[in-house]
Amino acid sequence: MLKNKLKSAVLSASTLTVLSAGAVAAQEACTNYSVSDGDTLATISIAAYGTSNYQPIFNANRDNITNPNNLKPGLILALPCNDGSLPNGQSAREVIANEEARNADNQSTNIYEAPIRMVLGDDWAPFADESMNGGGMMARLASTALRRGGNNREHSISFVDDWASHLSTLLPLGAFDVSLGWYMPDCSNKSYEWGENTTMRCTEFDVTVPVYDSVIGFFTLAESEYANAQSFEDFHGATICRTEGWFTFDLEQVGLVSPNISMMQPRTSVECMDAVLNGTADVVSFEVELAADILAQMGVASGEIVENAYLNNILSLHFFAHKSNPHARKYVALLNRGLIEMRESGEWYAIVSDTLREANKRTISN
C-alpha cells in the first residue's frame, strides 16, 4: 500500500487503455501520441513544443518510461498542454486553486512550535530560483507539503548560493533544519567504491520520500568524439564537468572516476557549459531542464551543444535533514505526509507542471 502511494504515478494502466483509443499520429501538445519506431522523448518534444527539454513529457508518463531514448513503438504518451495540464484534464492552476480552497480551514494547534528553517541555493532553474514563482519547484513543493497531510507548520525558506555548505556545514551546525533538493544514492549498492560525498549522504542524513525524478543528461559539442558515445566506457579519457558541491555517485557507479576521466567542478553550471564551449571540458552532465535553461541564457545556437542520445541517468531528488538535529525525523515525517497527499490529489503534478511551464516560457523568451 505505502509503495503504491509513493509512486510518482500520473497515468495508470487503465488510463492508458482509455487514451489509446484517442491516440494520434501527430506530435502535438495537448494530445495523446502513439510512439513510432525511432522516436525519443527529445524528438517528440522538439516536434510538439519546439524544445529538446523533454522532462515535462517524462513527468506526465513517468510510470511507463524507463529510458527516454528507448521508447517502445505503440506506447501511448500523454503530451501535456502548454499550461501544463494533461489532455482533457484540469489546468495546473485550477488544481492548485482547488487544493488551496479545500485546505483553507486547516487549523494549527495552540502549541508553539518553532518555524522549520529550510534552505536552498539560487540559480538552479526550474528547481530553485529566487526570480521564479515561489522560489522554484523545490520551494513550492516543500511549502505546500507543510500545509497538506494534516500539517500546518510555520516555516521559512532562505537562499544560500554556496550549495556545498548546505550538507557539510549549515545542516550539521543547526543553522537550518532542512535542505531542499538533493539526490540520494542507492545506499544498499556497495558494488562500487563510495566517494566521500556518497558516504556522507548515506550515513549522516534522514531524507524524505522521492520528491521528483530527474533525467540527468550528458551534453557535448555536436562535433565531439563523445557526442555519440554508446556506453559509459566510451567516456573514458574525457574531462567531465559538474558543478562544485553536486553529487557524483551516479558517475562513481559507472566507473566515471579518476583515472578513467578527469573531473572539473567550477562554482556554477554556466561555467560548466562555457567550459564545453571553449574546449576545457569535453562533457557536462546535469538535468535536461537545467541544460535547456542555461543554453537559453547563454544564447548558444541550436545544435551547437547536444545531448548524448544513448546515455542518461534517472535520479530522485529528496529533502535532507541532518541526523544530529533532534527533530530531523519529525520534519521528514511532516514533509512525507504532505508529499503523499499531494501525489494522491494531483497537486504535486500541478505544481511541477506549472513551474516547468514558467521555466519554458522564460527559456523561449530568451
Side-chain angles (χ1 to χ4, degrees):
M1 176 66 73
L2 181 59
K3 181 179 180 181
N4 290 334
K5 285 185 177 181
L6 302 186
K7 288 174 66 179
S8 53
V10 176
L11 297 176
S12 66
S14 59
T15 303
L16 285 177
T17 301
V18 173
L19 291 179
S20 63
V24 296
Q27 300 165 334
E28 298 176 359
C30 217
T31 62
N32 304 309
Y33 173 68
S34 178
V35 171
S36 297
D37 189 34
D39 280 344
T40 68
L41 286 192
T43 61
I44 294 171
S45 181
I46 290 171
Y49 307 100
T51 173
S52 60
N53 176 15
Y54 53 79
Q55 184 78 39
I57 304 175
F58 179 79
N59 294 339
N61 302 275
R62 177 66 186 95
D63 278 358
N64 303 290
I65 298 173
T66 56
N67 186 338
N69 298 320
N70 185 17
L71 303 177
K72 184 178 180 180
L75 175 67
I76 306 302
L77 297 178
L79 304 187
C81 307
N82 289 324
D83 65 0
S85 62
L86 295 174
N88 304 315
Q90 283 186 308
S91 73
R93 293 184 177 183
E94 287 174 331
V95 173
I96 293 168
N98 289 342
E99 287 304 304
E100 288 289 353
R102 190 171 68 85
N103 287 273
D105 295 330
N106 189 13
Q107 300 294 319
S108 59
T109 67
N110 293 324
I111 302 173
Y112 173 76
E113 294 180 290
I116 301 174
R117 300 161 300 168
M118 301 189 289
V119 62
L120 71 172
D122 196 11
D123 201 27
W124 184 34
F127 304 101
D129 193 312
E130 285 191 272
S131 69
M132 296 186 70
N133 179 27
M137 185 191 300
M138 292 294 105
R140 291 181 68 181
L141 290 172
S143 292
T144 306
L146 290 175
R147 303 194 304 272
R148 301 291 182 263
N151 303 322
N152 195 352
R153 251 333 259 275
E154 294 294 327
H155 61 276
S156 64
I157 295 180
S158 301
F159 285 82
V160 176
D161 289 348
D162 182 5
W163 281 97
S165 70
H166 290 203
L167 302 189
S168 65
T169 306
L170 298 180
L171 292 190
L173 291 180
F176 293 94
D177 300 306
V178 179
S179 186
L180 305 179
W182 293 88
Y183 294 105
M184 190 67 179
D186 175 4
C187 297
S188 67
N189 182 1
K190 298 185 179 181
S191 64
Y192 64 99
E193 184 176 354
W194 288 4
E196 181 180 352
N197 187 270
T198 301
T199 300
M200 176 178 68
R201 294 186 190 211
C202 283
T203 59
E204 297 184 20
F205 294 92
D206 290 317
V207 304
T208 63
V209 297
V211 177
Y212 184 81
D213 291 340
S214 288
V215 180
I216 310 298
F218 293 84
F219 300 85
T220 69
L221 291 174
E223 66 273 15
S224 168
E225 64 180 295
Y226 301 106
N228 294 309
Q230 298 188 34
S231 70
F232 289 111
E233 288 78 8
D234 291 340
F235 282 142
H236 287 188
T239 297
I240 298 179
C241 191
R242 186 172 279 173
T243 312
E244 179 186 16
W246 284 30
F247 61 99
T248 57
F249 61 83
D250 61 321
L251 303 180
E252 296 167 6
Q253 288 176 355
V254 294
L256 295 181
V257 294
S258 179
N260 295 333
I261 58 102
S262 298
M263 178 64 74
M264 184 177 181
Q265 295 181 287
R267 194 181 67 84
T268 69
S269 300
V270 171
E271 290 175 88
C272 259
M273 197 66 80
D274 190 56
V276 170
L277 286 169
N278 65 35
T280 55
D282 300 301
V283 182
V284 62
S285 177
F286 38 60
E287 301 92 349
V288 295
E289 301 107 313
L290 181 60
D293 187 69
I294 290 174
L295 290 172
Q297 286 182 42
M298 296 175 66
V300 177
S302 177
E304 185 173 357
I305 289 183
V306 298
E307 181 186 1
N308 182 281
Y310 303 99
L311 303 172
N312 57 61
N313 289 313
I314 298 174
L315 304 177
S316 296
L317 284 165
H318 303 252
F319 300 147
F320 278 43
H322 198 266
K323 289 182 176 179
S324 64
N325 187 320
H327 304 294
R329 291 188 176 181
K330 178 179 181 179
Y331 295 155
V332 166
L334 290 172
L335 289 162
N336 282 346
R337 283 208 311 252
L339 289 167
I340 290 169
E341 180 179 297
M342 291 163 65
R343 294 275 194 183
E344 295 174 340
S345 69
E347 191 174 20
W348 174 89
Y349 178 76
I351 290 173
V352 166
S353 60
D354 187 59
T355 307
L356 293 183
R357 175 202 55 79
E358 178 187 0
N360 190 50
K361 183 177 179 181
R362 183 170 70 172
T363 297
I364 293 173
S365 66
N366 288 337

